[in-house]
Amino acid sequence: MSLPVIIVGSGGHAAVVADALLAADVRVLGFVDTDPDRIGARVCGLPVLGSESVLDSHTPGAALLANGIGGVRSEGLRKPVQDRLESRGWEFATVRHPSAIVSRFATIAPGAQLLAGAIVQANARVGKGAIVNTAAVVEHDVELGEFVHVAPRALLCGAVVVGDGSHIGAGAVVRQHVRLGARTMVGAGAVVVADFAGDCTLVGVPAREAR
Ligand SMILES: CC(C)(COP(=O)(O)OP(=O)(O)OC[C@H]1O[C@@H](n2cnc3c(N)ncnc32)[C@H](O)[C@@H]1OP(=O)(O)O)[C@@H](O)C(=O)NCCC(=O)NCCS
């Protein structure tokens, strides 16, 4: 039997993560959140247990955490929070909604999240802490770095490479073999047809750097 899971964060992404875990018959104990106003709230029928200090009453190894920090500009928060908790001995669960279609030839790093209707094709590599969100498509031979977020319905064509901490916006398309450097923000609906070095925001069709 899999270990029970506590979700870090209690906002919209945390709810989607809880739903995916529950759909996969994983026991979810609840949420921890730094916002005191959230304590006592219920999300997907489960309690916000308290601040991170709640974790002191659990033993790493007897439960796992799941990263519930999402949002568009949150990639810079998702990783440091996970790093800090990992340094305290916690492990992060890999989350896989039962409706996600994942090739047996794909490589999924620990702590990645494959949400409802996501498709990950043969020989794709999904990095640690990366999110393949609702109905997003990660085609064959794509490489997603650590803590990349592929937002709902985005499409990464074959052999695309996405650097660490990047965000591919909802409904965006990235043409095959394109390489995007770390911390690239691709706007919703953009069509990326060329390589970009990273640390930039891309919008439009074809995608250009936003001023
Ligand atoms: C690209 C993005 C990051 C820019 O956000 P922002 O920095 O807050 O920028 P603003 O909303 O202030 O917009 C700045 C300009 O870019 C334009 N713009 C913003 N997003 C755009 C997009 N996706 N495509 C084309 N133009 C866009 C705005 O119209 C505005 O133009 P103007 O200066 O001529 O008025 C954001 O709009 C976006 O697309 N985020 C992805 C959303 C997403 O994936 N959500 C799923 C979450 S699970």
Side-chain angles (χ1 to χ4, degrees):
M1 226 180 64
S2 60
L3 293 172
V5 173
I6 300 169
I7 299 175
V8 180
S10 68
H13 184 67
V16 172
V17 168
D19 184 64
L21 289 166
L22 294 170
D25 287 331
V26 175
R27 191 167 153 234
V28 180
L29 300 178
F31 305 82
V32 292
D33 200 302
T34 50
D35 179 355
D37 291 342
R38 299 287 300 153
I39 295 165
R42 293 188 81 81
V43 178
C44 296
L46 297 164
V48 180
L49 301 163
S51 69
E52 271 181 25
S53 61
V54 165
L55 299 179
D56 298 338
S57 58
H58 293 268
T59 314
L64 297 173
L65 301 182
N67 198 331
I69 300 167
V72 173
R73 295 280 187 195
S74 67
E75 274 64 41
L77 184 60
R78 203 174 147 72
K79 176 175 158 46
V81 166
Q82 185 159 333
D83 284 348
R84 180 164 45 75
L85 290 166
E86 283 177 341
S87 72
R88 286 169 50 187
W90 286 96
E91 280 185 41
F92 279 72
T94 303
V95 178
R96 180 171 165 177
H97 193 285
S99 67
I101 298 173
V102 183
S103 164
R104 72 186 73 176
F105 303 107
T107 305
I108 311 299
Q113 300 180 341
L114 314 173
L115 300 174
I119 300 178
V120 180
Q121 269 293 6
N123 302 320
R125 302 175 77 85
V126 176
K128 173 183 169 178
I131 305 168
V132 184
N133 218 322
T134 314
V137 176
V138 171
E139 261 302 333
H140 63 89
D141 300 293
V142 165
E143 280 180 40
L144 300 184
E146 295 191 353
F147 295 94
V148 167
H149 182 174
V150 184
R153 277 232 180 266
L155 167 58
L156 302 185
C157 299
V160 161
V161 177
V162 184
D164 294 348
S166 294
H167 184 283
I168 311 297
V173 176
V174 184
R175 188 171 76 179
Q176 65 273 15
H177 297 289
V178 161
R179 302 177 74 89
L180 301 175
R183 298 171 299 281
T184 302
M185 164 66 72
V186 176
V191 177
V192 185
V193 297
D195 295 353
F196 289 86
D199 290 306
C200 59
T201 298
L202 309 175
V203 293
V205 181
R208 310 241 186 256
E209 279 196 51
R211 273 168 292 155

